[in-house]
Amino acid sequence: MSGQQGGASYPEQIQHQISQLDKELSKYPALNNLEKQTSVPKVYAILGLAAIYLFLIIFNLGSAFLVNVAGFIIPGYYSLEALFTSGKADDTQWLTYWVVYAFLTVFESAISATYWFPFYYTFKFVLVLWMALPQTAGAQVIFRSLIQPVFARFFTGSGSTSSGLRSRADRATAEKPHGQ
């Protein structure tokens, strides 16, 4: 069954993925207008921009800036969106992301990662995407396997790390007299 999965050939699988992406991109009116004005299918424009973006990162042409855009701007948008929703699941997801991203940033600057590791920004870009995407939940994986075991002893008291921090913050806020 070489070259096929589930009866579909690779070109058919690729075409299916492209049509799925086109369907997803159709939700954005700005992309639909761009497609009408330029006569370039929005899916190919987005894939072309993504390819250029990745090319610039791989060949270290403004990669620090481009990786920071992926690491700050996009998660920042979704963090703001989470703050305006009533659910706590997205708050926890993005708070965990920012804690892990902060540890990554401190670690990378402490060891001068860009000096020691070739293609560092390419790996960091993939790591940031993996951490930020809700489908992969990479930040939660890193937090639970690396950060939580080291720092949990400092935040124990009422069960989980998040509830312990929340209860301490609530107590501190309640004890503080109003007007200070």
Side-chain angles (χ1 to χ4, degrees), residues 84-169:
F84 288 103
T85 62
S86 60
K88 294 199 185 245
D90 54 357
D91 298 354
T92 302
Q93 174 193 344
W94 291 111
L95 182 59
T96 304
Y97 170 83
W98 290 114
V99 168
V100 172
Y101 194 85
F103 272 89
L104 173 66
T105 303
V106 169
F107 179 75
E108 103 181 296
S109 64
I111 66 166
S112 300
T114 57
Y115 177 76
W116 293 103
F117 300 109
F119 297 105
Y120 173 75
Y121 285 113
T122 304
F123 292 114
K124 183 178 178 183
F125 179 68
V126 171
L127 179 66
V128 164
L129 287 179
W130 177 71
M131 286 179 4
L133 290 172
Q135 297 87 344
T136 56
Q140 282 74 16
V141 172
I142 293 172
F143 179 79
R144 287 189 187 108
S145 59
L146 298 175
I147 297 172
Q148 189 174 17
V150 173
F151 292 97
R153 65 177 170 237
F154 300 111
F155 298 102
T156 57
S158 61
S160 74
T161 302
S162 62
S163 65
L165 288 174
R166 285 185 203 273
S167 65
R168 285 183 188 177

Side-chain angles (χ1 to χ4, degrees), residues 11-31:
E12 290 170 341
Q13 291 175 13
I14 291 170
Q15 190 57 43
H16 174 71
Q17 292 299 321
I18 289 173
S19 67
Q20 289 296 103
L21 180 59
D22 187 56
K23 182 179 171 185
E24 188 67 29
L25 294 174
S26 292
K27 296 176 183 176
Y28 301 97
L31 292 176

Side-chain angles (χ1 to χ4, degrees), residues 16-84:
H16 174 71
Q17 292 299 321
I18 289 173
S19 67
Q20 289 296 103
L21 180 59
D22 187 56
K23 182 179 171 185
E24 188 67 29
L25 294 174
S26 292
K27 296 176 183 176
Y28 301 97
L31 292 176
N32 292 327
N33 290 338
L34 182 69
E35 182 178 40
K36 288 176 187 171
Q37 292 174 353
T38 63
S39 299
V40 175
K42 60 187 160 295
V43 68
Y44 294 125
I46 294 297
L47 289 173
L49 288 173
I52 292 169
Y53 198 90
L54 190 57
F55 174 84
L56 292 171
I57 291 172
I58 290 171
F59 289 101
N60 206 20
L61 302 169
S63 8
F65 172 74
L66 294 173
V67 171
N68 281 335
V69 166
F72 284 109
I73 303 297
I74 298 165
Y77 170 80
Y78 287 111
S79 296
L80 281 172
E81 184 178 61
L83 290 173
F84 288 103

